[in-house]
Amino acid sequence: LLSLSEKKFSSQKMDKEELFQIKSNTLEVNPGDVLLSEPFLLDMYFSRAVVLIMDHNEEDGTCGIIINKRIPVTINDVVDDFPMFDADVYIGGPVKNDNVFFTHTLGNMVPESTEICKGVYWSNNFNVIKSLIRCGLVTRFDIRFFLGYCGWDAGQLRDELRRNSWIVGKMSTKAITMTNPKVMWETFTKATGKRYQLWSKFPLNPNDN
């Protein structure tokens, strides 16, 4: 038989384990969905990351971009021969992180763009975007630049979802484009349900609690 203290410890342990189980999580993702990392995922790229899914295919895998990891450089620091432009740069992910990609809200003004979700497009057509900037047709609010992107082989993301590494969320275009990156993980996590609202109150390293 367990003593009273042992029962209390066992109950607390179960409550903590239950708290970090992702309930009703879907194993299905679609372009435009966001992935929210569980709070103790200690990874240089994915710690408290918000990943916008760009493409998903059961046979070919999944790709996305981290949209809440802004870094203290400008696009002119990382791209040669780029017109002077005041725009933020983000860590997009560990794949091809020496390449620069961008999302925009310019629609068919940038040919060969892929629409990720309503009004948000993905492209690497730098010749066109340079011309639009030189003509004064683009503002810093129309575009975001990313170093690299995220990639999962077929079945890899599904396995991570089964291990409760991510919540799959659906956020509005306005939320994706207008939320301050500094509070995006916290804001989106709270928006997915009451059981996740406590996540943001835990320190990144559980040993610090």
Side-chain angles (χ1 to χ4, degrees):
L1 294 177
L2 292 176
S3 67
L4 184 60
S5 60
E6 288 174 327
K7 287 181 179 179
K8 183 177 180 180
F9 175 78
S10 177
S11 175
Q12 289 175 338
K13 183 177 180 181
M14 289 177 62
D15 289 345
K16 186 175 181 180
E17 290 176 350
E18 179 73 9
L19 177 61
F20 293 104
Q21 289 292 316
I22 298 174
K23 295 292 186 179
S24 303
N25 199 22
T26 178
L27 298 180
E28 301 299 326
V29 297
N30 296 287
D33 290 348
V34 295
L35 301 180
L36 308 171
S37 64
E38 58 91 358
F40 299 138
L41 184 60
L42 300 178
D43 180 275
M44 183 178 74
Y45 288 98
F46 297 125
S47 174
R48 304 206 175 185
V50 178
V51 179
L52 177 62
I53 297 297
M54 298 185 299
D55 190 29
H56 174 72
N57 185 293
E58 291 294 339
E59 295 182 357
D60 299 326
T62 308
C63 64
I65 44 171
I66 302 168
I67 58 175
N68 66 322
K69 304 272 186 174
R70 188 163 53 196
I71 55 178
V73 299
T74 69
I75 187 61
N76 297 103
D77 294 324
V78 296
V79 177
D80 294 332
D81 190 32
F82 199 85
M84 290 303 298
F85 190 63
D86 179 21
D88 296 323
V89 178
Y90 295 74
I91 295 174
V95 182
K96 294 187 177 180
N97 56 14
D98 56 346
N99 290 2
V100 181
F101 305 90
F102 61 89
T103 60
H104 65 86
T105 57
L106 299 167
N108 58 14
M109 289 177 65
V110 184
E112 301 175 5
S113 296
T114 301
E115 189 171 27
I116 305 171
C117 55
K118 187 176 181 179
V120 179
Y121 299 80
W122 165 260
S123 180
N124 63 349
N125 193 334
F126 270 85
N127 289 331
V128 169
I129 207 66
K130 286 179 181 180
S131 296
L132 291 174
I133 289 172
R134 290 189 179 104
C135 293
L137 298 176
V138 182
T139 73
R140 66 189 305 272
F141 302 105
D142 299 321
I143 190 167
R144 289 185 181 181
F145 296 95
F146 300 87
L147 296 176
Y149 65 92
C150 308
W152 291 265
D153 292 332
Q156 184 180 1
L157 180 57
R158 181 179 289 264
D159 290 341
E160 292 182 11
L161 290 171
R162 287 195 180 103
R163 294 197 300 270
N164 294 308
S165 296
W166 305 95
I167 303 173
V168 180
K170 295 184 182 296
M171 302 297 157
S172 68
T173 298
K174 183 177 180 180
I176 290 170
T177 56
M178 300 298 289
T179 304
N180 187 329
K182 291 182 178 180
V183 298
M184 187 177 282
W185 180 87
E186 177 181 350
T187 302
F188 286 7
T189 299
K190 288 179 178 178
T192 60
K194 288 184 178 180
R195 71 173 287 108
Y196 308 115
Q197 291 181 4
L198 289 176
W199 281 21
S200 62
K201 298 185 182 300
F202 283 84
L204 186 58
N205 186 341
N207 294 324
D208 294 335
N209 193 13

